[in-house]
Amino acid sequence: MKSFLYHEHTREELTAKAKQGYMAVVPLAATEQHGPHLPVYTDSLICGHIANGAALRAASSVPLLLCPLIPIGCSHHHLAFGGTLSFSSATYVRMLRDIGESLVANGFRKIVFLNGHGGNDPIMQQTASDLAVSHPIWTASASYWSVAKEALRLADAEQVGMVPGHAGGFETSAILALREELVHTDRAAGEHPQRPWILSGPPGTFIGRHGELTGADGYTDSPHRATAEKGRAYLDVISRSVAEWLVRTYQSMETGERSLAVNGKQENGI
């Protein structure tokens, strides 16, 4: 099978694939502090793994291309802890818009943002909407934990801590599975105070406080229940869920396009 990676193709190949209706998937992540025990590249390691695994699975069913991972996100709420690289929200929305505009200029009419960092989520959603307002294209966007929420519940992922949380048991399990040598569990041993208001509201709501957006000392819960085995299981569940979502998203776009074409002909008396 020809590579599903956007960056492994020539300009002529990409122009042809855009004309053929390929869906472009843009993975979004971050480089930010993850407590005293995880690398600052945690979100990028996790999102990159999920995006590659999901795109590989989905590409066997629908035509898509996975764009290069964007490893810096909107992470200003982590700057006070050190180690973080961040775009401001104003810069990030402009950057995402420019990526979308580039894909449109290249001829792509199906654009998907796949996110792996909480601070990116609302900006990503707004950008996807703005692009669809400005151009006759299809867009979609989601964070991996939203897509895989039910599958992770069935996998009992909350047994290790908040899902996805920040630098807690869930993310620590994932990094143990991906790059165990980068994890320093001895630096965050034992119980960790959890802030009861984090994720306390229903989906789609927000509550936060200055200096406490990511929990005590910059992380949400203790990593002491994390294991590499659990991390591998969670990552597989997520990759499969995201792959299924990508396939459904492409099919929905195609079905919608055909429906609009038929309705347009009927309205014009054709």
Side-chain angles (χ1 to χ4, degrees), residues 15-247:
T15 297
K17 289 183 182 301
K19 289 180 179 178
Q20 293 163 18
Y22 271 64
M23 183 170 72
V25 181
V26 185
L28 310 175
T31 300
E32 62 187 26
Q33 71 84 25
H34 270 73
H37 57 291
L38 291 182
V40 297
Y41 208 60
T42 288
D43 287 346
S44 293
L45 287 170
I46 294 172
C47 186
H49 177 85
I50 290 168
N52 275 272
L56 177 60
R57 285 188 172 104
S60 65
S61 300
V62 298
L64 62 78
L65 291 168
L66 181 66
C67 296
L69 176 80
I70 310 301
I72 298 176
C74 184
S75 303
H76 267 39
H77 49 299
H78 292 283
L79 288 172
F81 297 99
T84 297
L85 302 177
S86 177
F87 292 115
S88 68
S89 56
T91 300
Y92 194 64
V93 72
R94 184 69 258 175
M95 186 270 289
L96 290 187
R97 180 63 180 264
D98 285 350
I99 291 173
E101 294 285 353
S102 297
L103 288 167
V104 171
N106 291 339
F108 287 92
R109 295 296 179 264
K110 300 181 184 74
I111 299 172
V112 175
F113 292 111
L114 174 64
N115 179 46
H117 163 58
N120 299 340
D121 191 283
I123 301 172
M124 166 193 71
Q125 303 282 11
Q126 186 62 57
T127 303
S129 176
D130 289 347
L131 286 167
V133 168
S134 299
H135 301 284
I137 64 172
W138 293 89
T139 63
S141 59
S143 294
Y144 73 75
W145 53 86
S146 297
V147 172
K149 181 178 180 179
E150 180 61 16
L152 286 168
R153 185 189 69 79
L154 293 174
D156 200 21
E158 289 188 349
Q159 67 178 304
V160 298
M162 194 176 294
V163 179
H166 183 74
F170 178 79
E171 287 191 323
T172 301
S173 292
I175 299 301
L176 283 170
L178 295 173
R179 294 289 303 276
E180 186 170 5
E181 75 278 8
L182 299 180
V183 180
H184 304 277
T185 50
D186 58 308
R187 298 179 184 174
E191 290 295 336
H192 182 72
Q194 294 191 38
R195 301 313 194 205
W197 59 84
I198 296 179
L199 299 182
S200 62
T205 63
F206 170 80
I207 180 171
R209 184 187 185 281
H210 176 76
E212 291 282 351
L213 293 177
T214 53
D217 194 27
Y219 61 110
T220 56
D221 54 279
S222 172
H224 75 275
R225 300 184 188 89
T227 69
E229 181 181 9
K230 292 173 182 175
R232 284 188 288 270
Y234 303 152
L235 289 169
D236 184 63
V237 162
I238 296 168
S239 291
R240 291 181 182 278
S241 295
V242 172
E244 292 169 1
W245 176 72
L246 290 173
V247 171

